[in-house]
Amino acid sequence: MVNVLIIGSGARESALGQAFLVSPQVAQVFVAPGNPGMSLLGLTVLPVREDHFTALIAFARDHVALTFVGPEQPLAAGIVDAFTAAGLTIFGPTAQTAQLESSKQFAKAFMARHRLPTAQATVAHSLAEAQAAVAATGIPVVVKADGLAAGKGVTVALTQAAADAALVALYTDHPGASVLIEQYLQGEEASVLSMYNGTARVLFPLAQDHKRRNDGDLGPNTGGMGAISPAPQFTAAQHDQAVALVDQTLAGMAADGLAGSGVLYLGLMFTAAGPKLLEYNLRFGDPETQVLLPQVQNDFYQLTVDLLAGTAEPLNLTGQTYVGVVAAHPGYPKQTTPALPVLTPDQAARNYWLPAGVGLGANGLVTAGGRVFTVVGSGATLAAAQRDAYTKMAPLQGELAIRTDIGAKGLR
Ligand code: AMP
Ligand code: GLY
């Protein structure tokens, strides 16, 4: 039996922890820094910050066979390089490869070099340059701050006033910032995830995130308010187009010397003119992971170590559809104080309650962040999975906020 260390603290890491814990080969799963809700799932919280590489390496050397990285920040900061240099086994991309996510300019240059379809974009370095780029692109327009922003650095501006407001806010906070001014794309959005090593890959079913805060895809962008998978609105032909873009990307990475393992996540927009890349993430998505991993019946530890050794196992899926609904602090994505109580799930609910921004208060669990937990429902169809998710959420929601329409687009 072996132990596994997961880096991160969200509902994605709760789902990863569950996946590793059911492996017959895994004794204990540590999560650093984790959150106090995770112990209810049988995970062991390790109170070490995700950027404290020396302490994580010292722990991993003595206690675990494999480390798996959830979030983008430690990847961009070189956690995989540091573990590898220390001779430890870790799944994830190097800092160089992680730039496909951490730098929108790096990603755009990569897509151009390898002829991957994406929205036209201009990089601006001042308010005047940005305003000129908006005028040249036309409205609607998309304004993206370069660098990691957890999905919140993007403004889809439907009016000139909204574009102006976004630019003035960005350049007031960060004078001289690199800002991408991008052509607006219309269509259905898909999250296409795979685990890879070189050009070998394990492809997950297509998922759909719900990034806007409010029902009907209104309100500000968030890290994600819910997800579904498989997403029935995508045709077999669209699925094949997505797979082709995954393989084209992996071939481009190999050609550029971006070697190694990791998760490749394509944010795709299926437009009238075909699929276009919105972004790359070099990690599992949150909340997509919460609806992807329950589909997988393979031993997830074995799947990961096989891939590290160069072998991509075929996935053995449950065939069910999954819907994940995020419970958030009512102030999210802005203010997430004061802390509110988080209802403790009963024993049965611990199979589908995945804690994220949860802390320990004087009288039990309290909120400690924007997205507090994900509840996952399942069923033979999307409609059944949606019903199951909301039925399971009802007794757990308390004072928290949810979207009530996760999966609605897939049912149309
Ligand atoms: P990103 O962080 O680049 O994925 O952007 C966050 C979200 O903003 C995406 O998931 C889309 O919903 C939206 N978005 C980003 N770029 C565009 C675009 N060019 N056209 C329309 N919507 C976009
Ligand atoms: N679900 C979007 C993300 O993980 O970036």
Side-chain angles (χ1 to χ4, degrees):
M1 299 284 276
V2 298
N3 297 330
V4 173
L5 171 62
I6 296 172
I7 309 297
S9 62
R12 164 184 53 206
E13 287 74 23
S14 295
L16 281 163
Q18 278 188 327
F20 278 117
L21 209 50
V22 297
S23 163
Q25 304 181 70
V26 173
Q28 213 176 348
V29 177
F30 299 94
V31 191
N35 71 64
M38 287 177 170
S39 55
L40 300 180
L41 309 185
L43 307 172
T44 309
V45 173
L46 182 70
V48 179
R49 280 175 26 193
E50 60 195 34
D51 61 355
H52 199 340
F53 296 171
T54 356
L56 294 171
I57 286 171
F59 180 85
R61 183 174 282 130
D62 291 341
H63 299 285
V64 307
L66 169 71
T67 299
F68 197 105
V69 188
E72 56 271 32
Q73 293 86 354
L75 293 169
I79 193 170
V80 170
D81 310 70
F83 270 65
T84 306
L88 298 173
T89 304
I90 185 164
F91 190 89
T94 62
Q96 190 194 11
T97 304
Q99 290 176 90
L100 284 171
E101 169 167 8
S102 63
S103 165
K104 295 205 184 276
Q105 287 190 63
F106 185 91
K108 283 286 185 193
F110 175 91
M111 292 173 203
R113 188 160 59 245
H114 299 292
R115 306 202 187 300
L116 286 142
T118 185
Q120 269 175 29
T122 315
V123 184
H125 302 94
S126 69
L127 181 59
E129 261 180 56
Q131 283 169 331
V134 167
T137 308
I139 300 291
V141 72
V142 181
V143 174
K144 298 187 177 184
D146 206 1
L148 298 173
K152 287 166 277 181
V154 175
T155 303
V156 178
L158 299 179
T159 62
Q160 183 68 45
D164 285 339
L167 290 177
V168 168
L170 264 171
Y171 280 104
T172 303
D173 289 354
H174 310 279
S178 295
V179 172
L180 230 65
I181 307 299
E182 195 170 282
Q183 171 198 17
Y184 173 76
L185 298 174
Q186 205 156 17
E188 273 286 302
E189 209 171 323
S191 300
V192 185
L193 284 94
S194 56
M195 290 167 72
Y196 70 89
N197 185 5
T199 53
R201 83 286 192 273
V202 174
L203 278 163
F204 293 91
L206 297 193
Q208 188 169 58
D209 190 7
H210 295 62
K211 296 202 185 196
R212 299 302 192 95
R213 168 62 186 78
N214 303 327
D215 283 9
D217 288 338
L218 299 172
N221 262 322
T222 69
M225 294 299 295
I228 65 167
S229 182
Q233 62 269 57
F234 301 113
T235 63
Q238 287 177 320
H239 178 267
D240 292 349
Q241 290 174 325
V243 174
L245 292 177
V246 170
D247 287 333
Q248 205 181 326
T249 299
L250 293 176
M253 287 164 63
D256 288 358
L258 302 175
S261 69
V263 175
L264 177 66
Y265 163 157
L266 274 51
L268 270 195
M269 188 77 90
F270 284 103
T271 72
K276 306 241 187 212
L277 282 162
L278 293 173
E279 63 167 349
Y280 286 126
N281 295 312
L282 270 292
R283 52 164 177 87
F284 268 116
D286 186 342
E288 289 91 335
T289 308
Q290 294 92 299
V291 292
L292 291 176
L293 295 184
Q295 296 183 58
V296 176
Q297 293 183 298
N298 305 55
D299 174 339
F300 192 67
Y301 176 76
Q302 193 62 46
L303 183 82
T304 306
V305 295
D306 281 352
L307 198 50
L308 280 170
T311 303
E313 280 181 30
L315 283 184
N316 177 15
L317 300 172
T318 62
Q320 300 267 300
T321 297
Y322 295 79
V323 171
V325 179
V326 172
H329 190 285
Y332 180 70
K334 296 202 169 85
Q335 192 181 326
T336 57
T337 51
L340 297 170
V342 174
L343 300 176
T344 305
D346 63 21
Q347 198 61 44
R350 294 173 196 184
N351 287 318
Y352 52 78
W353 176 84
L354 300 168
V358 166
L360 215 44
N363 304 308
L365 299 178
V366 294
T367 63
R371 293 190 294 170
V372 183
F373 57 84
T374 305
V375 163
V376 180
S378 61
T381 61
L382 176 57
Q386 189 191 52
R387 269 195 306 278
D388 188 49
Y390 284 108
T391 304
K392 285 172 168 162
M393 175 61 86
L396 294 166
Q397 185 182 347
E399 298 172 46
L400 304 181
I402 59 170
R403 271 184 65 164
T404 65
D405 66 345
I406 304 302
K409 281 199 299 277
L411 289 172
R412 269 198 226 121

